[in-house]
């Protein structure tokens, strides 16, 4: 198999993983529809940055370390789960707050930075992402990949992730989705908070010792 085919196979697998529903999708779509297009794009870059960090670390063997040192993987799962639960609670508690209608037009620079860091933290909260990239690389990359693959895969991962969440942002920040959100903000935010919290609880539960569930 040529290096180009390997590269395209890796990127296709990354794209499939990116478009799969999860807390990242819920978070970016909510930011785009409730705040602004710029805030959504900042979140998209945060997701892309988190993914490229995990992809780069996976290339250097982080996924193998997590699989070998089980307690570290479980601890990261619990920590990531607690973070997602915290995010879910924040969204739930703010569901009843009125949406500032002038905010999307003129988002503050600090707000853009906060959305970037918030999305980055959400992406990095799930150590399963590192295992995902490690599994893809182990399955598709040869034992001695061409040097150009090692240099091009992480930037390509970044472009795929940012590209997908940019599409999500553009879709959810348009007038019609925003009007629907304004009319149903309470329940949309509560559903979003519940989904993210439930995903966090599931992730944290996976990190607990198995004998607890027996």
């Amino acid at each position: 198999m040529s290096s180009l085919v390997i590269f395209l196979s890796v990127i296709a697998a990354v794209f499939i993983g990116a478009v799969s529903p999860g807390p990242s999708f819920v978070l970016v779509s909510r930011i785009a529809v409730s705040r602004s297009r710029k805030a959504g794009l900042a979140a998209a870059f945060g997701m892309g940055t988190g993914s490229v960090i995990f992809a780069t670390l996976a290339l250097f063997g982080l996924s193998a370390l997590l699989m070998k040192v089980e307690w570290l993987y479980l601890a990261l799962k619990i920590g990531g789960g607690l973070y997602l639960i915290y995010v879910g609670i924040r969204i739930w508690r703010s569901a009843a707050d009125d949406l500032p209608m002038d905010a999307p037009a003129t988002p503050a620079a600090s707000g853009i930075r906060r959305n970037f860091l918030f999305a980055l933290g959400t992406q990095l909260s799930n150590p399963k992402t590192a295992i995902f990239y490690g599994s893809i690389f182990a399955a598709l990359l040869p034992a001695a990949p061409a040097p150009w693959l090692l240099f091009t895969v992480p930037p390509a991962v970044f472009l795929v992730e940012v590209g997908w969440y940019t599409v999500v942002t553009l879709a959810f920040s348009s007038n019609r989705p925003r009007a629907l959100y304004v009319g149903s903000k309470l329940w949309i935010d509560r559903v979003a908070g519940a989904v993210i919290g439930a995903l966090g609880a599931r992730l944290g539960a996976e990190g607990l010792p198995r004998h607890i569930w027996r």
Side-chain angles (χ1 to χ4, degrees):
M1 186 181 299
S2 69
S3 294
L4 179 59
V5 173
I6 292 172
F7 175 80
L8 294 177
S9 300
V10 169
I11 298 309
V14 169
F15 176 75
I16 293 172
V19 302
S20 300
S24 300
F25 176 85
V26 175
L27 181 67
V28 173
S29 60
R30 181 183 177 275
I31 288 175
V33 76
S34 66
R35 299 179 186 175
S36 72
R37 182 165 292 179
K38 287 184 178 180
L41 292 175
F45 274 84
M47 293 298 176
T49 302
S51 293
V52 78
I53 289 173
F54 270 138
T56 302
L57 292 176
L59 285 173
F60 284 93
L62 172 66
S63 58
L65 174 63
L66 291 178
M67 294 299 291
K68 186 175 182 179
V69 185
E70 184 178 5
W71 68 265
L72 177 59
Y73 183 40
L74 298 181
L76 290 175
K77 274 189 174 183
I78 293 174
L82 291 175
Y83 177 78
L84 290 179
I85 291 173
Y86 164 73
V87 171
I89 292 174
R90 281 190 57 182
I91 293 175
W92 179 284
R93 293 181 62 181
S94 66
D97 296 344
D98 292 331
L99 181 66
M101 299 306 295
D102 60 334
T106 56
S110 59
I112 298 299
R113 185 165 54 252
R114 281 198 299 269
N115 288 313
F116 172 84
L117 294 175
F118 194 41
L120 175 61
T122 300
Q123 189 76 318
L124 293 179
S125 69
N126 190 354
K128 294 172 71 174
T129 307
I131 302 299
F132 167 74
Y133 282 112
S135 300
I136 290 176
F137 297 159
L140 299 177
L141 289 179
W148 71 266
L149 280 175
L150 299 178
F151 288 102
T152 56
V153 166
V157 167
F158 178 79
L159 292 176
V160 168
E161 292 275 349
V162 172
W164 166 244
Y165 288 114
T166 295
V167 171
V168 171
T169 294
L170 296 177
F172 280 87
S173 62
S174 58
N175 291 332
R176 183 175 178 81
R178 180 170 172 77
L180 292 173
Y181 174 77
V182 171
S184 307
K185 178 180 183 299
L186 176 65
W187 293 109
I188 290 175
D189 278 6
R190 285 187 173 175
V191 170
V195 168
I196 291 180
L199 291 171
R202 178 182 176 182
L203 181 62
E206 291 177 351
L208 294 175
R210 295 181 180 177
H211 66 79
I212 292 180
W213 308 111
R214 296 177 181 174

